[in-house]
Amino acid sequence: QSVNKTPINGLYELLLEDNEIYYTDANGHYLVQGSLIDTRTKRNLTEERSDKLNAIAFSSLPLKDAITIVRGNGQRKLAVFEDPNCGYCKRFERDLAKVDNVTVYLFLYPILSPDSTDKSRAVWCAKDQAQAWLNLMIRDQTPPPATCNTAAIDRILSFCRQHKITGTPTLIAQDGSRVPGAINTQQIEKLLADASR
Protein backbone atom coordinates (compact mmCIF):
# COMPACT_ATOMS: atom_id res chain seq x y z
CA GLN A 1 0.00 0.00 0.00
CA SER A 2 2.68 2.50 0.97
CA VAL A 3 6.27 3.18 1.95
CA ASN A 4 6.84 5.69 4.76
CA LYS A 5 9.85 7.10 6.60
CA THR A 6 10.38 6.02 10.21
CA PRO A 7 12.12 8.00 12.99
CA ILE A 8 15.30 6.01 12.15
CA ASN A 9 17.44 7.35 9.30
CA GLY A 10 17.44 4.97 6.34
CA LEU A 11 14.69 2.72 7.72
CA TYR A 12 11.33 2.71 5.94
CA GLU A 13 7.95 1.25 6.85
CA LEU A 14 6.35 -1.03 4.27
CA LEU A 15 2.60 -1.22 4.62
CA LEU A 16 1.10 -4.24 2.87
CA GLU A 17 -2.50 -4.58 1.65
CA ASP A 18 -3.66 -6.41 4.77
CA ASN A 19 -2.19 -3.64 7.00
CA GLU A 20 0.84 -5.77 7.86
CA ILE A 21 3.89 -3.68 8.70
CA TYR A 22 7.47 -4.53 7.71
CA TYR A 23 10.61 -2.41 7.52
CA THR A 24 13.30 -2.08 4.87
CA ASP A 25 16.41 -0.08 4.03
CA ALA A 26 16.41 2.61 1.33
CA ASN A 27 17.57 0.11 -1.34
CA GLY A 28 15.13 -2.63 -0.36
CA HIS A 29 17.97 -5.09 0.23
CA TYR A 30 16.89 -5.96 3.75
CA LEU A 31 13.48 -6.78 5.18
CA VAL A 32 12.81 -6.52 8.91
CA GLN A 33 9.80 -8.14 10.54
CA GLY A 34 8.93 -7.24 14.12
CA SER A 35 8.28 -4.33 16.44
CA LEU A 36 10.02 -0.98 16.31
CA ILE A 37 10.36 0.21 19.91
CA ASP A 38 11.48 3.65 21.08
CA THR A 39 13.68 2.76 24.07
CA ARG A 40 13.63 6.32 25.43
CA THR A 41 9.84 6.47 25.76
CA LYS A 42 9.28 2.69 25.92
CA ARG A 43 6.66 3.05 23.16
CA ASN A 44 6.01 0.28 20.67
CA LEU A 45 5.83 2.37 17.48
CA THR A 46 4.76 -0.60 15.34
CA GLU A 47 1.86 -1.40 17.65
CA GLU A 48 0.77 2.26 17.76
CA ARG A 49 0.85 2.48 13.95
CA SER A 50 -1.03 -0.79 13.60
CA ASP A 51 -3.69 0.39 16.06
CA LYS A 52 -4.12 3.59 14.05
CA LEU A 53 -4.39 1.68 10.76
CA ASN A 54 -6.95 -0.78 12.14
CA ALA A 55 -9.13 1.82 13.83
CA ILE A 56 -12.72 2.05 12.59
CA ALA A 57 -14.51 5.39 12.90
CA PHE A 58 -17.45 4.84 15.23
CA SER A 59 -19.60 6.97 12.94
CA SER A 60 -18.99 4.49 10.09
CA LEU A 61 -20.51 1.55 12.01
CA PRO A 62 -23.87 0.35 10.65
CA LEU A 63 -25.65 0.99 13.98
CA LYS A 64 -29.08 0.31 12.45
CA ASP A 65 -27.94 -3.32 12.07
CA ALA A 66 -26.92 -3.62 15.72
CA ILE A 67 -28.81 -4.84 18.75
CA THR A 68 -28.66 -1.96 21.23
CA ILE A 69 -28.23 -2.74 24.93
CA VAL A 70 -28.32 0.24 27.32
CA ARG A 71 -27.09 -0.01 30.90
CA GLY A 72 -27.46 2.86 33.36
CA ASN A 73 -27.35 6.24 31.62
CA GLY A 74 -25.78 4.68 28.49
CA GLN A 75 -23.39 7.62 28.19
CA ARG A 76 -20.34 5.61 27.11
CA LYS A 77 -20.48 3.66 23.84
CA LEU A 78 -18.98 0.36 22.75
CA ALA A 79 -19.51 -1.74 19.63
CA VAL A 80 -18.96 -5.50 19.80
CA PHE A 81 -18.87 -8.12 17.03
CA GLU A 82 -19.72 -11.56 18.43
CA ASP A 83 -20.56 -15.10 17.37
CA PRO A 84 -23.16 -16.96 19.48
CA ASN A 85 -20.94 -20.06 19.61
CA CYS A 86 -17.82 -18.18 20.74
CA GLY A 87 -16.67 -19.28 24.19
CA TYR A 88 -14.53 -16.15 24.60
CA CYS A 89 -17.61 -14.05 23.76
CA LYS A 90 -19.58 -15.77 26.52
CA ARG A 91 -16.85 -15.00 29.04
CA PHE A 92 -16.67 -11.42 27.73
CA GLU A 93 -20.47 -11.00 28.09
CA ARG A 94 -20.27 -12.02 31.75
CA ASP A 95 -17.60 -9.36 32.34
CA LEU A 96 -19.45 -6.76 30.25
CA ALA A 97 -22.60 -7.31 32.36
CA LYS A 98 -20.71 -5.75 35.30
CA VAL A 99 -20.12 -2.49 33.38
CA ASP A 100 -22.62 0.31 33.97
CA ASN A 101 -23.49 3.53 32.13
CA VAL A 102 -22.75 2.12 28.70
CA THR A 103 -24.60 1.64 25.42
CA VAL A 104 -23.46 -1.56 23.73
CA TYR A 105 -24.04 -1.96 20.01
CA LEU A 106 -23.98 -5.70 19.44
CA PHE A 107 -23.29 -6.91 15.91
CA LEU A 108 -24.19 -10.55 15.27
CA TYR A 109 -21.20 -12.00 13.42
CA PRO A 110 -21.83 -15.73 12.80
CA ILE A 111 -18.55 -17.10 11.49
CA LEU A 112 -17.69 -20.12 13.63
CA SER A 113 -20.21 -22.71 12.38
CA PRO A 114 -23.44 -23.10 10.37
CA ASP A 115 -25.24 -23.33 13.73
CA SER A 116 -23.96 -19.80 14.49
CA THR A 117 -26.07 -18.44 11.65
CA ASP A 118 -29.20 -20.23 12.93
CA LYS A 119 -28.69 -18.89 16.46
CA SER A 120 -27.96 -15.37 15.18
CA ARG A 121 -31.16 -15.39 13.12
CA ALA A 122 -33.16 -16.59 16.13
CA VAL A 123 -31.74 -13.75 18.25
CA TRP A 124 -32.32 -11.15 15.54
CA CYS A 125 -35.92 -12.27 15.06
CA ALA A 126 -36.70 -12.47 18.79
CA LYS A 127 -39.27 -10.06 20.21
CA ASP A 128 -36.68 -8.77 22.71
CA GLN A 129 -33.35 -9.12 20.88
CA ALA A 130 -31.19 -7.89 23.75
CA GLN A 131 -32.76 -10.28 26.26
CA ALA A 132 -32.55 -13.18 23.79
CA TRP A 133 -28.84 -12.47 23.30
CA LEU A 134 -28.09 -12.24 27.03
CA ASN A 135 -30.10 -15.41 27.72
CA LEU A 136 -28.10 -17.24 25.06
CA MET A 137 -24.67 -15.98 26.06
CA ILE A 138 -24.97 -15.83 29.86
CA ARG A 139 -27.66 -18.42 30.66
CA ASP A 140 -27.11 -20.83 27.70
CA GLN A 141 -30.78 -20.54 26.67
CA THR A 142 -31.12 -20.67 22.90
CA PRO A 143 -34.09 -18.67 21.61
CA PRO A 144 -36.70 -20.61 19.63
CA PRO A 145 -36.28 -20.44 15.84
CA ALA A 146 -38.15 -17.53 14.28
CA THR A 147 -38.34 -15.99 10.85
CA CYS A 148 -37.99 -12.36 9.89
CA ASN A 149 -35.84 -10.24 7.59
CA THR A 150 -32.23 -11.08 8.51
CA ALA A 151 -30.51 -9.00 5.81
CA ALA A 152 -28.81 -7.04 8.62
CA ILE A 153 -26.67 -10.09 9.44
CA ASP A 154 -25.51 -10.31 5.81
CA ARG A 155 -24.66 -6.59 5.84
CA ILE A 156 -22.62 -7.09 9.02
CA LEU A 157 -20.71 -9.98 7.42
CA SER A 158 -19.93 -7.73 4.45
CA PHE A 159 -18.87 -4.85 6.73
CA CYS A 160 -16.53 -7.19 8.63
CA ARG A 161 -14.91 -8.46 5.42
CA GLN A 162 -14.39 -4.89 4.26
CA HIS A 163 -12.78 -3.87 7.57
CA LYS A 164 -10.85 -7.12 8.09
CA ILE A 165 -12.62 -8.10 11.29
CA THR A 166 -11.67 -11.77 11.42
CA GLY A 167 -12.36 -12.94 14.96
CA THR A 168 -14.82 -12.72 17.80
CA PRO A 169 -15.21 -10.90 19.99
CA THR A 170 -13.91 -7.73 18.34
CA LEU A 171 -14.54 -4.47 20.18
CA ILE A 172 -14.65 -0.98 18.71
CA ALA A 173 -14.41 1.89 21.21
CA GLN A 174 -15.96 5.30 20.70
CA ASP A 175 -12.60 6.73 19.58
CA GLY A 176 -12.37 4.05 16.86
CA SER A 177 -9.75 1.89 18.55
CA ARG A 178 -10.14 -1.83 17.89
CA VAL A 179 -9.55 -4.57 20.43
CA PRO A 180 -9.49 -8.14 19.11
CA GLY A 181 -10.39 -10.75 21.71
CA ALA A 182 -12.07 -10.94 25.09
CA ILE A 183 -11.04 -8.52 27.81
CA ASN A 184 -12.08 -8.46 31.46
CA THR A 185 -14.24 -5.91 33.29
CA GLN A 186 -11.29 -3.79 34.40
CA GLN A 187 -9.90 -3.69 30.85
CA ILE A 188 -13.35 -2.80 29.45
CA GLU A 189 -13.56 0.10 31.91
CA LYS A 190 -10.09 1.30 30.87
CA LEU A 191 -11.00 1.05 27.17
CA LEU A 192 -14.16 3.11 27.75
CA ALA A 193 -12.27 5.69 29.84
CA ASP A 194 -9.45 6.04 27.29
CA ALA A 195 -11.94 6.39 24.44
CA SER A 196 -13.80 9.24 26.13
CA ARG A 197 -10.71 11.43 26.63
Side-chain angles (χ1 to χ4, degrees):
Q1 282 184 314
S2 65
V3 178
N4 302 295
K5 288 183 178 181
T6 69
I8 300 171
N9 258 345
L11 187 68
Y12 295 85
E13 171 199 276
L14 298 176
L15 180 61
L16 304 184
E17 281 185 27
D18 55 359
N19 285 349
E20 276 191 88
I21 298 173
Y22 291 88
Y23 301 97
T24 188
D25 63 322
N27 297 317
H29 293 160
Y30 299 95
L31 186 66
V32 179
Q33 180 182 14
S35 293
L36 183 60
I37 297 172
D38 184 331
T39 57
R40 296 162 299 176
T41 61
K42 297 183 171 111
R43 289 175 41 216
N44 184 330
L45 302 179
T46 306
E47 186 177 277
E48 288 177 12
R49 177 82 166 119
S50 181
D51 288 349
K52 187 176 178 182
L53 290 167
N54 288 314
I56 297 174
F58 209 83
S59 60
S60 74
L61 294 170
L63 299 182
K64 69 180 182 354
D65 293 334
I67 295 171
T68 305
I69 302 168
V70 180
R71 295 196 177 102
N73 65 23
Q75 186 175 9
R76 304 178 295 172
K77 296 184 180 0
L78 181 66
V80 186
F81 294 81
E82 294 186 81
D83 183 296
N85 285 321
C86 166
Y88 293 109
C89 298
K90 291 179 182 189
R91 187 180 79 208
F92 169 75
E93 282 293 341
R94 286 190 288 276
D95 286 326
L96 182 60
K98 300 171 191 165
V99 175
D100 200 14
N101 299 328
V102 65
T103 298
V104 178
Y105 296 98
L106 166 68
F107 294 95
L108 297 168
Y109 187 33
I111 56 171
L112 296 179
S113 72
D115 180 49
S116 296
T117 302
D118 297 337
K119 288 178 180 175
S120 292
R121 287 181 177 148
V123 168
W124 184 256
C125 295
K127 189 173 185 177
D128 184 341
Q129 295 172 325
Q131 194 57 55
W133 176 254
L134 295 174
N135 286 342
L136 174 62
M137 299 306 279
I138 295 174
R139 296 172 195 88
D140 233 8
Q141 298 170 356
T142 304
T147 53
C148 69
N149 183 345
T150 57
I153 295 171
D154 295 327
R155 289 191 296 267
I156 292 166
L157 288 166
S158 176
F159 179 88
C160 290
R161 279 191 295 274
Q162 179 186 351
H163 292 278
K164 298 176 179 70
I165 296 173
T166 57
T168 59
T170 294
L171 289 59
I172 309 294
Q174 208 167 344
D175 64 355
S177 54
R178 179 193 309 211
V179 176
I183 58 177
N184 64 33
T185 305
Q186 186 178 352
Q187 293 166 316
I188 297 167
E189 287 287 0
K190 183 179 183 323
L191 177 66
L192 291 169
D194 290 349
S196 62
R197 286 187 184 152

mmCIF file of all heavy atoms in Angstrom, residues 21-45:
data_model
loop_
_atom_site.group_PDB
_atom_site.id
_atom_site.type_symbol
_atom_site.label_atom_id
_atom_site.label_comp_id
_atom_site.label_asym_id
_atom_site.label_seq_id
_atom_site.Cartn_x
_atom_site.Cartn_y
_atom_site.Cartn_z
ATOM 1 N N ILE A 21 2.797 -4.649 8.718
ATOM 2 C CA ILE A 21 3.893 -3.683 8.696
ATOM 3 C C ILE A 21 5.228 -4.421 8.713
ATOM 4 O O ILE A 21 5.464 -5.291 9.553
ATOM 5 C CB ILE A 21 3.800 -2.732 9.907
ATOM 6 C CG1 ILE A 21 2.494 -1.935 9.853
ATOM 7 C CG2 ILE A 21 5.006 -1.795 9.955
ATOM 8 C CD1 ILE A 21 2.224 -1.098 11.096
ATOM 9 N N TYR A 22 6.089 -4.060 7.758
ATOM 10 C CA TYR A 22 7.474 -4.534 7.708
ATOM 11 C C TYR A 22 8.357 -3.310 7.566
ATOM 12 O O TYR A 22 7.877 -2.199 7.341
ATOM 13 C CB TYR A 22 7.697 -5.472 6.509
ATOM 14 C CG TYR A 22 6.987 -6.795 6.634
ATOM 15 C CD1 TYR A 22 5.681 -6.955 6.185
ATOM 16 C CD2 TYR A 22 7.621 -7.894 7.199
ATOM 17 C CE1 TYR A 22 5.024 -8.161 6.297
ATOM 18 C CE2 TYR A 22 6.968 -9.112 7.319
ATOM 19 C CZ TYR A 22 5.669 -9.233 6.861
ATOM 20 O OH TYR A 22 5.022 -10.438 6.983
ATOM 21 N N TYR A 23 9.660 -3.511 7.675
ATOM 22 C CA TYR A 23 10.608 -2.409 7.524
ATOM 23 C C TYR A 23 11.682 -2.812 6.530
ATOM 24 O O TYR A 23 12.001 -3.995 6.377
ATOM 25 C CB TYR A 23 11.231 -2.046 8.877
ATOM 26 C CG TYR A 23 10.192 -1.636 9.891
ATOM 27 C CD1 TYR A 23 9.699 -2.542 10.827
ATOM 28 C CD2 TYR A 23 9.676 -0.347 9.893
ATOM 29 C CE1 TYR A 23 8.722 -2.178 11.747
ATOM 30 C CE2 TYR A 23 8.688 0.030 10.808
ATOM 31 C CZ TYR A 23 8.229 -0.891 11.722
ATOM 32 O OH TYR A 23 7.248 -0.526 12.612
ATOM 33 N N THR A 24 12.251 -1.805 5.855
ATOM 34 C CA THR A 24 13.302 -2.078 4.874
ATOM 35 C C THR A 24 14.291 -0.913 4.849
ATOM 36 O O THR A 24 14.002 0.172 5.359
ATOM 37 C CB THR A 24 12.709 -2.299 3.460
ATOM 38 O OG1 THR A 24 13.743 -2.744 2.577
ATOM 39 C CG2 THR A 24 12.064 -1.038 2.909
ATOM 40 N N ASP A 25 15.439 -1.156 4.233
ATOM 41 C CA ASP A 25 16.412 -0.078 4.032
ATOM 42 C C ASP A 25 16.043 0.677 2.750
ATOM 43 O O ASP A 25 15.120 0.283 2.028
ATOM 44 C CB ASP A 25 17.832 -0.653 3.947
ATOM 45 C CG ASP A 25 18.015 -1.569 2.752
ATOM 46 O OD1 ASP A 25 17.077 -2.326 2.437
ATOM 47 O OD2 ASP A 25 19.085 -1.523 2.119
ATOM 48 N N ALA A 26 16.737 1.751 2.479
ATOM 49 C CA ALA A 26 16.412 2.608 1.327
ATOM 50 C C ALA A 26 16.519 1.861 -0.002
ATOM 51 O O ALA A 26 15.808 2.190 -0.954
ATOM 52 C CB ALA A 26 17.318 3.839 1.326
ATOM 53 N N ASN A 27 17.387 0.852 -0.093
ATOM 54 C CA ASN A 27 17.566 0.107 -1.340
ATOM 55 C C ASN A 27 16.668 -1.118 -1.438
ATOM 56 O O ASN A 27 16.610 -1.766 -2.480
ATOM 57 C CB ASN A 27 19.032 -0.335 -1.486
ATOM 58 C CG ASN A 27 19.966 0.846 -1.580
ATOM 59 O OD1 ASN A 27 19.672 1.814 -2.273
ATOM 60 N ND2 ASN A 27 21.078 0.785 -0.864
ATOM 61 N N GLY A 28 15.976 -1.450 -0.348
ATOM 62 C CA GLY A 28 15.126 -2.632 -0.360
ATOM 63 C C GLY A 28 15.909 -3.934 -0.324
ATOM 64 O O GLY A 28 15.398 -4.974 -0.708
ATOM 65 N N HIS A 29 17.145 -3.879 0.150
ATOM 66 C CA HIS A 29 17.969 -5.088 0.228
ATOM 67 C C HIS A 29 17.664 -5.918 1.469
ATOM 68 O O HIS A 29 17.948 -7.111 1.501
ATOM 69 C CB HIS A 29 19.460 -4.741 0.227
ATOM 70 C CG HIS A 29 19.919 -4.158 -1.070
ATOM 71 N ND1 HIS A 29 21.065 -3.420 -1.183
ATOM 72 C CD2 HIS A 29 19.388 -4.199 -2.318
ATOM 73 C CE1 HIS A 29 21.218 -3.025 -2.433
ATOM 74 N NE2 HIS A 29 20.209 -3.486 -3.131
ATOM 75 N N TYR A 30 17.153 -5.271 2.495
ATOM 76 C CA TYR A 30 16.888 -5.963 3.752
ATOM 77 C C TYR A 30 15.430 -5.771 4.148
ATOM 78 O O TYR A 30 14.846 -4.713 3.947
ATOM 79 C CB TYR A 30 17.791 -5.432 4.877
ATOM 80 C CG TYR A 30 19.250 -5.633 4.576
ATOM 81 C CD1 TYR A 30 19.998 -4.613 4.000
ATOM 82 C CD2 TYR A 30 19.875 -6.856 4.843
ATOM 83 C CE1 TYR A 30 21.337 -4.795 3.694
ATOM 84 C CE2 TYR A 30 21.212 -7.048 4.545
ATOM 85 C CZ TYR A 30 21.947 -6.016 3.962
ATOM 86 O OH TYR A 30 23.259 -6.211 3.674
ATOM 87 N N LEU A 31 14.858 -6.826 4.719
ATOM 88 C CA LEU A 31 13.477 -6.784 5.184
ATOM 89 C C LEU A 31 13.476 -7.149 6.661
ATOM 90 O O LEU A 31 14.068 -8.160 7.061
ATOM 91 C CB LEU A 31 12.623 -7.794 4.401
ATOM 92 C CG LEU A 31 11.126 -7.775 4.677
ATOM 93 C CD1 LEU A 31 10.509 -6.462 4.205
ATOM 94 C CD2 LEU A 31 10.444 -8.938 3.965
ATOM 95 N N VAL A 32 12.856 -6.298 7.472
ATOM 96 C CA VAL A 32 12.809 -6.522 8.908
ATOM 97 C C VAL A 32 11.351 -6.745 9.308
ATOM 98 O O VAL A 32 10.470 -5.957 8.963
ATOM 99 C CB VAL A 32 13.375 -5.302 9.689
ATOM 100 C CG1 VAL A 32 13.306 -5.545 11.182
ATOM 101 C CG2 VAL A 32 14.809 -5.012 9.252
ATOM 102 N N GLN A 33 11.132 -7.831 10.031
ATOM 103 C CA GLN A 33 9.799 -8.140 10.541
ATOM 104 C C GLN A 33 9.865 -8.088 12.059
ATOM 105 O O GLN A 33 10.730 -8.705 12.672
ATOM 106 C CB GLN A 33 9.375 -9.545 10.096
ATOM 107 C CG GLN A 33 8.012 -9.932 10.595
ATOM 108 C CD GLN A 33 7.642 -11.357 10.177
ATOM 109 O OE1 GLN A 33 8.489 -12.128 9.737
ATOM 110 N NE2 GLN A 33 6.390 -11.696 10.337
ATOM 111 N N GLY A 34 8.945 -7.331 12.664
ATOM 112 C CA GLY A 34 8.932 -7.236 14.119
ATOM 113 C C GLY A 34 8.553 -5.847 14.567
ATOM 114 O O GLY A 34 8.132 -5.013 13.768
ATOM 115 N N SER A 35 8.707 -5.598 15.852
ATOM 116 C CA SER A 35 8.284 -4.330 16.440
ATOM 117 C C SER A 35 9.422 -3.333 16.500
ATOM 118 O O SER A 35 10.545 -3.678 16.861
ATOM 119 C CB SER A 35 7.750 -4.563 17.850
ATOM 120 O OG SER A 35 6.563 -5.315 17.801
ATOM 121 N N LEU A 36 9.089 -2.093 16.174
ATOM 122 C CA LEU A 36 10.019 -0.981 16.307
ATOM 123 C C LEU A 36 9.673 -0.296 17.625
ATOM 124 O O LEU A 36 8.564 0.209 17.800
ATOM 125 C CB LEU A 36 9.855 -0.021 15.125
ATOM 126 C CG LEU A 36 10.799 1.177 15.048
ATOM 127 C CD1 LEU A 36 12.248 0.712 14.972
ATOM 128 C CD2 LEU A 36 10.445 2.016 13.833
ATOM 129 N N ILE A 37 10.618 -0.307 18.571
ATOM 130 C CA ILE A 37 10.360 0.213 19.911
ATOM 131 C C ILE A 37 11.288 1.388 20.191
ATOM 132 O O ILE A 37 12.499 1.306 19.969
ATOM 133 C CB ILE A 37 10.540 -0.892 20.966
ATOM 134 C CG1 ILE A 37 9.497 -1.996 20.708
ATOM 135 C CG2 ILE A 37 10.416 -0.337 22.385
ATOM 136 C CD1 ILE A 37 9.662 -3.233 21.525
ATOM 137 N N ASP A 38 10.714 2.488 20.664
ATOM 138 C CA ASP A 38 11.483 3.650 21.084
ATOM 139 C C ASP A 38 11.905 3.389 22.528
ATOM 140 O O ASP A 38 11.076 3.400 23.440
ATOM 141 C CB ASP A 38 10.622 4.910 20.985
ATOM 142 C CG ASP A 38 11.389 6.184 21.316
ATOM 143 O OD1 ASP A 38 12.353 6.113 22.114
ATOM 144 O OD2 ASP A 38 11.021 7.243 20.785
ATOM 145 N N THR A 39 13.196 3.134 22.741
ATOM 146 C CA THR A 39 13.684 2.757 24.071
ATOM 147 C C THR A 39 13.653 3.925 25.050
ATOM 148 O O THR A 39 13.587 3.711 26.264
ATOM 149 C CB THR A 39 15.118 2.201 24.009
ATOM 150 O OG1 THR A 39 15.971 3.178 23.394
ATOM 151 C CG2 THR A 39 15.166 0.906 23.221
ATOM 152 N N ARG A 40 13.668 5.156 24.525
ATOM 153 C CA ARG A 40 13.631 6.323 25.427
ATOM 154 C C ARG A 40 12.253 6.462 26.070
ATOM 155 O O ARG A 40 12.138 6.738 27.255
ATOM 156 C CB ARG A 40 13.984 7.600 24.670
ATOM 157 C CG ARG A 40 15.425 7.601 24.128
ATOM 158 C CD ARG A 40 15.589 8.638 23.060
ATOM 159 N NE ARG A 40 14.661 8.292 21.966
ATOM 160 C CZ ARG A 40 14.461 9.017 20.887
ATOM 161 N NH1 ARG A 40 15.089 10.157 20.754
ATOM 162 N NH2 ARG A 40 13.636 8.633 19.949
ATOM 163 N N THR A 41 11.209 6.280 25.256
ATOM 164 C CA THR A 41 9.840 6.468 25.761
ATOM 165 C C THR A 41 9.155 5.147 26.079
ATOM 166 O O THR A 41 8.043 5.139 26.597
ATOM 167 C CB THR A 41 8.991 7.223 24.728
ATOM 168 O OG1 THR A 41 8.943 6.448 23.527
ATOM 169 C CG2 THR A 41 9.565 8.604 24.445
ATOM 170 N N LYS A 42 9.832 4.035 25.728
ATOM 171 C CA LYS A 42 9.280 2.690 25.918
ATOM 172 C C LYS A 42 7.958 2.505 25.157
ATOM 173 O O LYS A 42 7.061 1.795 25.600
ATOM 174 C CB LYS A 42 9.097 2.368 27.406
ATOM 175 C CG LYS A 42 10.401 2.344 28.161
ATOM 176 C CD LYS A 42 10.204 1.944 29.601
ATOM 177 C CE LYS A 42 11.530 1.729 30.237
ATOM 178 N NZ LYS A 42 11.919 2.676 31.215
ATOM 179 N N ARG A 43 7.857 3.155 23.999
ATOM 180 C CA ARG A 43 6.663 3.049 23.157
ATOM 181 C C ARG A 43 6.925 2.070 22.027
ATOM 182 O O ARG A 43 7.976 2.111 21.385
ATOM 183 C CB ARG A 43 6.297 4.412 22.559
ATOM 184 C CG ARG A 43 5.755 5.382 23.584
ATOM 185 C CD ARG A 43 5.514 6.770 23.030
ATOM 186 N NE ARG A 43 4.934 6.779 21.706
ATOM 187 C CZ ARG A 43 5.232 7.684 20.772
ATOM 188 N NH1 ARG A 43 6.108 8.637 21.003
ATOM 189 N NH2 ARG A 43 4.635 7.630 19.600
ATOM 190 N N ASN A 44 5.948 1.211 21.788
ATOM 191 C CA ASN A 44 6.012 0.284 20.673
ATOM 192 C C ASN A 44 5.418 1.007 19.467
ATOM 193 O O ASN A 44 4.203 1.094 19.309
ATOM 194 C CB ASN A 44 5.240 -0.990 20.996
ATOM 195 C CG ASN A 44 5.353 -2.026 19.907
ATOM 196 O OD1 ASN A 44 5.500 -1.716 18.728
ATOM 197 N ND2 ASN A 44 5.274 -3.292 20.298
ATOM 198 N N LEU A 45 6.274 1.554 18.609
ATOM 199 C CA LEU A 45 5.832 2.365 17.478
ATOM 200 C C LEU A 45 5.072 1.533 16.447
ATOM 201 O O LEU A 45 4.127 2.029 15.817
ATOM 202 C CB LEU A 45 7.028 3.068 16.829
ATOM 203 C CG LEU A 45 7.841 3.977 17.763
ATOM 204 C CD1 LEU A 45 9.014 4.607 17.035
ATOM 205 C CD2 LEU A 45 6.969 5.041 18.394
#
